[in-house]
Amino acid sequence: VDADGLLIRHEGAEQRLAVDQVVVCAGQEPCDALRAELAALGRTCHLIGGSAEAAELDAKRAIEQGTRLALQL
């Protein structure tokens, strides 16, 4: 992720996606390292789903929270 967007590799080829927001949905255990790094760079980070409340993993709740957050951004 940089000022030009998001660089990904798909089927062996690199592609740059022109994005200004990135949502990472991964894992089932809290991992705060990325949020701390983003905060140090002055970036806003939102925790939803299992990253905010890992004790009760609930995909339906996480999807709803993600949708609501996306509508606010």
Side-chain angles (χ1 to χ4, degrees), residues 23 48-49 61-73:
V23 177
I48 61 170
R61 184 190 72 214
I63 291 167
E64 179 184 354
Q65 290 173 341
T67 301
R68 290 180 186 277
L69 178 58
L71 292 171
Q72 292 174 1
L73 295 177

Side-chain angles (χ1 to χ4, degrees), residues 8-73:
I8 64 169
R9 180 170 290 132
H10 179 68
E11 296 182 357
E14 287 189 349
Q15 276 182 272
R16 180 164 305 278
L17 305 177
V19 301
D20 58 5
Q21 302 285 328
V22 176
V23 177
V24 178
C25 304
Q28 294 186 3
E29 295 181 14
C31 180
D32 206 23
L34 179 58
R35 185 177 70 85
E37 289 179 35
L38 291 171
L41 295 171
R43 299 289 189 164
T44 301
C45 185
H46 304 274
L47 296 179
I48 61 170
S51 65
E53 192 175 335
E56 297 181 28
L57 295 176
D58 181 342
K60 184 177 176 182
R61 184 190 72 214
I63 291 167
E64 179 184 354
Q65 290 173 341
T67 301
R68 290 180 186 277
L69 178 58
L71 292 171
Q72 292 174 1
L73 295 177

